[in-house]
Amino acid sequence: MPDDFLIRAALAGIGLMLAAGPLGAFVVWRRMAYMGDATAHAAVLGVALALATELPVAFGTGVVALAMALAVAGLSGRGRTADTALGVLAHSALALGLVAVSFLKGVRVDLSAYLFGDVLSVTRGDLVWIWGGAAAVLALLAWRWNRLLTATVNEELAQAAGLDPRREKLVLTLALALVVAVAIKIVGALLVAAMLIIPAASARAFARTPEAMAAWAVGLGIVAVLAGLWASLGFDTPAGPSIVAAAAAIFCLSLIPGRSAR
């Protein structure tokens, strides 16, 4: 039987992908990759604020990630100026978070665990937070699925149907912030966006409907989690980067069917 810490790590990764798979599909469809990066980088600043105020780290990362996601959402769609602003926000938030942690006196923290994840140290309490957050994201996406899909396909069509595309974008923003807060323990702030984008991009090769793509993203993400943990255990490599590397390998394999068809 696998050790308890390995089982907890696998359950944490599976819980993350249940939420990150469907949300990642929307990130790919709406070309929100930069938004995911900026939101994830801001989570490091949330870690610093949580440690300074003695609040739970998950709460601090969630609040700051949400604030950054809202700021990024307000800037998106404004041309090249927005791209520059997004870049400034993303990297400034990361740098400010790292600097802020260095000013904390009497607080010893392993920053690499927040930058690259430390899934092997997940506790039962962490599992409750991860699965609870994943369930909330899934419920939110299931509730708004048709509306989100309509607004993603064509905003004018959504408006004609009586929908507000800005409201649907806000729903995705809330879900993204929650996934970042959940994922920082598993793959870290620098790799969160990878687990949103890569499984969803891999799923494109196998799916013919939006729902199938979301399901494939979940399945391929879970395979990447288990393969990454196996590689980490067998080759003594960092768990978070190993999971992302496994996802990247799956993406490369997903390109083969498309080439064969062409």
XYZ file of all heavy atoms in Angstrom, residues 27-90:
440
model
N -10.436 29.022 -19.897
C -9.225 29.839 -20.015
C -8.655 29.731 -21.432
O -8.229 30.723 -22.029
C -8.184 29.416 -18.967
C -6.832 30.067 -19.242
C -8.656 29.781 -17.569
N -8.661 28.517 -21.983
C -8.155 28.311 -23.349
C -9.093 28.942 -24.368
O -8.649 29.636 -25.293
C -7.977 26.802 -23.623
C -7.692 26.547 -25.104
C -6.845 26.246 -22.768
N -10.397 28.718 -24.215
C -11.358 29.258 -25.180
C -11.339 30.782 -25.209
O -11.416 31.386 -26.270
C -12.766 28.777 -24.838
C -12.985 27.317 -25.009
C -12.338 26.486 -25.882
C -13.889 26.478 -24.277
N -12.783 25.202 -25.741
C -13.735 25.165 -24.774
C -14.818 26.718 -23.259
C -14.472 24.091 -24.275
C -15.553 25.662 -22.758
C -15.385 24.352 -23.264
N -11.223 31.396 -24.052
C -11.302 32.845 -23.963
C -9.937 33.524 -24.017
O -9.830 34.735 -23.891
C -12.013 33.261 -22.671
C -13.451 32.786 -22.588
C -14.082 33.168 -21.257
N -14.294 34.607 -21.183
C -15.470 35.202 -21.352
N -16.541 34.471 -21.626
N -15.580 36.495 -21.251
N -8.879 32.711 -24.175
C -7.502 33.239 -24.253
C -7.174 34.081 -23.020
O -6.736 35.221 -23.118
C -7.313 34.050 -25.541
C -7.560 33.223 -26.804
C -7.412 34.034 -28.064
N -7.716 33.221 -29.239
C -7.711 33.678 -30.493
N -7.430 34.957 -30.712
N -7.995 32.880 -31.491
N -7.367 33.465 -21.863
C -7.153 34.143 -20.592
C -5.871 33.678 -19.897
O -5.736 33.784 -18.674
C -8.345 33.890 -19.660
C -9.646 34.498 -20.118
S -11.063 33.874 -19.153
C -10.585 34.286 -17.480
N -4.915 33.151 -20.668
C -3.714 32.596 -20.050
C -2.963 33.647 -19.233
O -2.486 33.371 -18.124
C -2.798 32.022 -21.130
N -2.857 34.849 -19.782
C -2.135 35.894 -19.070
C -2.856 36.268 -17.784
O -2.236 36.589 -16.767
C -1.989 37.136 -19.956
C -0.680 37.868 -19.753
C -0.153 38.670 -20.758
C 0.026 37.758 -18.559
C 1.045 39.333 -20.579
C 1.214 38.419 -18.374
C 1.724 39.204 -19.379
O 2.904 39.863 -19.188
N -4.169 36.234 -17.821
C -4.948 36.517 -16.620
C -4.660 35.476 -15.538
O -4.556 35.804 -14.352
C -6.429 36.537 -16.966
C -7.333 36.896 -15.801
S -9.057 37.013 -16.336
C -9.847 37.425 -14.779
N -4.538 34.218 -15.953
C -4.202 33.167 -14.996
C -2.840 33.364 -14.381
O -2.646 33.184 -13.170
N -1.862 33.764 -15.189
C -0.519 34.028 -14.678
C -0.525 35.159 -13.657
O 0.067 35.056 -12.587
C 0.424 34.389 -15.835
C 1.051 33.151 -16.458
O 1.232 32.155 -15.737
O 1.349 33.184 -17.654
N -1.171 36.265 -14.010
C -1.196 37.426 -13.118
C -1.871 37.085 -11.793
O -1.400 37.478 -10.716
C -1.922 38.589 -13.801
N -2.972 36.351 -11.864
C -3.689 35.978 -10.643
C -2.848 35.060 -9.776
O -2.792 35.205 -8.548
C -5.017 35.288 -11.000
O -5.777 36.144 -11.862
C -5.819 34.988 -9.763
N -2.159 34.110 -10.400
C -1.330 33.170 -9.642
C -0.137 33.873 -9.008
O 0.217 33.601 -7.853
C -0.861 32.052 -10.567
N 0.505 34.778 -9.745
C 1.656 35.489 -9.188
C 1.262 36.337 -7.993
O 2.029 36.485 -7.035
C 2.290 36.365 -10.267
C 2.998 35.585 -11.319
N 3.563 36.158 -12.443
C 3.240 34.254 -11.440
C 4.106 35.230 -13.191
N 3.922 34.059 -12.604
N 0.072 36.904 -8.039
C -0.393 37.734 -6.924
C -0.584 36.910 -5.659
O -0.584 37.466 -4.552
C -1.699 38.426 -7.305
N -0.744 35.599 -5.793
C -0.963 34.752 -4.622
C 0.221 34.812 -3.662
O 0.046 34.649 -2.445
C -1.214 33.312 -5.060
N 1.427 35.049 -4.181
C 2.603 35.154 -3.307
C 2.469 36.357 -2.383
O 2.837 36.309 -1.204
C 3.889 35.243 -4.144
C 5.110 35.402 -3.241
C 4.041 33.999 -5.004
N 1.948 37.461 -2.910
C 1.682 38.625 -2.064
C 0.635 38.274 -1.006
O 0.714 38.731 0.139
C 1.199 39.792 -2.927
C 0.895 41.113 -2.210
C 2.111 41.608 -1.448
C 0.422 42.161 -3.210
N -0.332 37.465 -1.375
C -1.329 37.007 -0.410
C -0.707 36.175 0.698
O -1.128 36.258 1.863
N 0.292 35.363 0.364
C 1.005 34.586 1.381
C 1.666 35.515 2.393
O 1.566 35.314 3.613
C 2.058 33.674 0.722
C 2.953 33.034 1.772
C 1.384 32.592 -0.112
N 2.333 36.559 1.888
C 3.011 37.507 2.772
C 2.016 38.216 3.693
O 2.254 38.350 4.902
C 3.788 38.525 1.943
N 0.895 38.655 3.141
C -0.106 39.352 3.949
C -0.721 38.417 4.993
O -0.986 38.831 6.126
C -1.194 39.921 3.045
C -0.749 41.053 2.098
C -1.908 41.490 1.220
C -0.214 42.241 2.892
N -0.947 37.173 4.622
C -1.511 36.211 5.572
C -0.555 35.945 6.721
O -0.963 35.894 7.892
C -1.853 34.907 4.848
N 0.720 35.793 6.414
C 1.702 35.548 7.473
C 1.856 36.767 8.374
O 2.027 36.640 9.590
C 3.053 35.188 6.845
C 3.106 33.852 6.086
C 4.457 33.671 5.418
C 2.822 32.680 7.023
N 1.793 37.964 7.783
C 1.946 39.187 8.571
C 0.771 39.410 9.507
O 0.927 39.964 10.610
C 2.117 40.389 7.649
N -0.419 39.006 9.097
C -1.631 39.235 9.897
C -2.074 37.984 10.656
O -3.111 38.007 11.320
C -2.779 39.706 8.991
O -2.991 38.746 7.950
C -2.435 41.060 8.358
N -1.297 36.894 10.532
C -1.589 35.637 11.217
C -2.942 35.048 10.801
O -3.632 34.399 11.592
C -1.535 35.811 12.741
C -0.157 36.221 13.237
C -0.090 36.295 14.756
O -1.147 36.130 15.405
O 1.010 36.512 15.278
N -3.307 35.307 9.560
C -4.513 34.712 8.999
C -4.135 33.427 8.258
O -2.960 33.226 7.922
C -5.186 35.684 8.025
C -5.839 36.926 8.641
C -6.260 37.895 7.536
C -7.036 36.533 9.493
N -5.089 32.549 7.982
C -4.774 31.353 7.189
C -4.218 31.737 5.819
O -4.708 32.667 5.177
C -6.133 30.646 7.062
C -6.931 31.135 8.223
C -6.496 32.552 8.454
N -3.200 31.013 5.384
C -2.566 31.321 4.097
C -3.562 31.182 2.955
O -3.572 31.997 2.023
C -1.345 30.403 3.874
C -0.818 30.555 2.450
C -0.255 30.728 4.876
N -4.420 30.183 3.026
C -5.408 29.988 1.956
C -6.332 31.200 1.854
O -6.705 31.609 0.749
C -6.225 28.727 2.223
N -6.693 31.782 3.003
C -7.562 32.959 2.977
C -6.843 34.152 2.350
O -7.402 34.865 1.501
C -8.014 33.301 4.401
C -8.869 34.538 4.485
C -10.214 34.484 4.173
C -8.318 35.758 4.867
C -11.012 35.626 4.244
C -9.100 36.901 4.944
C -10.444 36.833 4.633
N -5.596 34.367 2.757
C -4.829 35.487 2.198
C -4.611 35.368 0.706
O -4.787 36.340 -0.036
N -4.238 34.183 0.249
C -4.013 33.997 -1.183
C -5.311 34.157 -1.963
O -5.323 34.727 -3.058
C -3.419 32.607 -1.457
O -4.265 31.604 -0.882
C -2.031 32.481 -0.870
N -6.411 33.665 -1.393
C -7.698 33.794 -2.080
C -8.133 35.235 -2.243
O -8.580 35.652 -3.313
N -7.979 36.032 -1.176
C -8.399 37.438 -1.230
C -7.556 38.223 -2.232
O -8.081 38.966 -3.072
C -8.310 38.072 0.170
C -8.486 39.584 0.093
C -9.359 37.470 1.090
N -6.238 38.065 -2.168
C -5.367 38.818 -3.073
C -5.526 38.328 -4.505
O -5.513 39.136 -5.450
C -3.897 38.713 -2.609
C -2.967 39.394 -3.600
C -3.739 39.341 -1.232
N -5.673 37.026 -4.684
C -5.881 36.498 -6.036
C -7.171 37.046 -6.637
O -7.224 37.386 -7.830
C -5.908 34.971 -6.012
N -8.214 37.148 -5.827
C -9.475 37.705 -6.310
C -9.322 39.175 -6.684
O -9.812 39.614 -7.733
C -10.556 37.548 -5.251
C -11.935 38.144 -5.579
C -12.491 37.523 -6.853
C -12.897 37.944 -4.430
N -8.610 39.940 -5.840
C -8.392 41.353 -6.142
C -7.612 41.515 -7.447
O -7.941 42.370 -8.286
C -7.649 42.022 -4.991
N -6.589 40.690 -7.638
C -5.806 40.770 -8.875
C -6.643 40.341 -10.069
O -6.588 40.969 -11.142
C -4.567 39.883 -8.758
C -3.733 39.810 -10.036
S -3.094 41.423 -10.563
C -1.774 41.649 -9.373
N -7.437 39.288 -9.908
C -8.270 38.822 -11.019
C -9.264 39.893 -11.443
O -9.514 40.096 -12.634
C -9.004 37.542 -10.619
N -9.839 40.589 -10.475
C -10.775 41.661 -10.797
C -10.066 42.803 -11.518
O -10.601 43.383 -12.477
C -11.444 42.178 -9.523
C -12.420 41.212 -8.840
C -12.875 41.768 -7.507
C -13.624 40.945 -9.741
N -8.853 43.129 -11.067
C -8.089 44.193 -11.726
C -7.734 43.810 -13.157
O -7.854 44.615 -14.086
C -6.821 44.496 -10.931
N -7.321 42.547 -13.326
C -6.956 42.074 -14.666
C -8.179 42.037 -15.570
O -8.124 42.400 -16.747
C -6.289 40.690 -14.571
C -6.095 40.090 -15.954
C -4.957 40.792 -13.867
N -9.320 41.598 -15.018
C -10.545 41.545 -15.814
C -10.954 42.937 -16.279
O -11.455 43.114 -17.393
C -11.672 40.917 -14.996
N -10.728 43.925 -15.446
C -11.061 45.289 -15.840
C -10.164 45.829 -16.933
O -10.562 46.704 -17.704
N -8.935 45.288 -17.021
C -7.988 45.775 -18.024
C -8.057 45.007 -19.335
O -7.591 45.501 -20.365
C -6.558 45.667 -17.476
C -6.179 46.652 -16.370
C -4.833 46.270 -15.776
C -6.124 48.073 -16.905
N -8.615 43.788 -19.285
C -8.607 42.955 -20.484
C -9.471 43.561 -21.573
O -10.461 44.240 -21.314
C -9.108 41.551 -20.142
O -10.437 41.611 -19.689
N -9.085 43.276 -22.785
C -9.842 43.756 -23.934
C -9.589 45.210 -24.276
O -10.369 45.824 -25.003
N -8.472 45.776 -23.785
C -8.190 47.174 -24.081
C -6.940 47.354 -24.931
O -6.245 48.365 -24.835
C -8.031 47.956 -22.763
C -9.302 47.965 -21.932
C -9.196 48.876 -20.747
N -10.421 48.871 -19.947
C -10.598 49.595 -18.844
N -9.637 50.400 -18.428
N -11.733 49.520 -18.175
N -6.623 46.331 -25.705
C -5.538 46.472 -26.671
C -4.166 46.267 -26.063
O -3.990 45.662 -25.004
N -3.154 46.805 -26.753
C -1.777 46.588 -26.347
C -1.476 47.213 -24.989
O -0.649 46.726 -24.229
C -0.839 47.169 -27.406
C -0.915 46.446 -28.745
C 0.042 47.034 -29.754
N -0.064 46.347 -31.046
C 0.633 46.692 -32.121
N 1.471 47.723 -32.068
N 0.488 46.018 -33.237
N -2.112 48.321 -24.685
C -1.896 48.950 -23.388
C -2.263 47.996 -22.263
O -1.600 47.932 -21.231
C -2.728 50.235 -23.272
O -2.390 51.093 -24.352
C -2.442 50.934 -21.956
N -3.320 47.237 -22.456
C -3.743 46.264 -21.450
C -2.699 45.168 -21.291
O -2.413 44.732 -20.173
C -5.082 45.663 -21.831
N -2.113 44.696 -22.388
C -1.083 43.667 -22.295
C 0.093 44.150 -21.452
O 0.625 43.418 -20.618
C -0.581 43.291 -23.700
C -1.627 42.520 -24.491
O -2.534 41.962 -23.858
O -1.530 42.501 -25.723
N 0.506 45.388 -21.672
C 1.598 45.953 -20.886
C 1.215 46.046 -19.416
O 1.996 45.686 -18.523
C 1.964 47.354 -21.407
O 2.313 47.260 -22.788
C 3.128 47.930 -20.628
N -0.009 46.513 -19.157
C -0.471 46.642 -17.775
C -0.545 45.288 -17.085
O -0.198 45.143 -15.904
C -1.831 47.329 -17.745
N -0.990 44.270 -17.829
C -1.063 42.930 -17.262
C 0.323 42.421 -16.885
O 0.517 41.809 -15.830
C -1.727 41.970 -18.255
C -3.216 42.186 -18.526
C -3.702 41.216 -19.576
C -4.020 42.047 -17.257
N 1.290 42.663 -17.765
C 2.658 42.257 -17.466
C 3.209 42.956 -16.234
O 3.856 42.342 -15.380
N 2.947 44.240 -16.126
C 3.403 45.001 -14.961
C 2.760 44.469 -13.689
O 3.432 44.256 -12.666
C 3.089 46.503 -15.146
C 3.362 47.265 -13.852
C 3.913 47.085 -16.281
N 1.448 44.247 -13.723
C 0.742 43.759 -12.540
C 1.235 42.377 -12.118
O 1.470 42.117 -10.934
C -0.762 43.700 -12.823
C -1.526 45.023 -12.811
C -2.967 44.805 -13.253
C -1.495 45.654 -11.429
N 1.397 41.486 -13.089
C 1.781 40.110 -12.779
C 3.132 40.052 -12.082
O 3.285 39.457 -11.010
C 1.799 39.273 -14.056
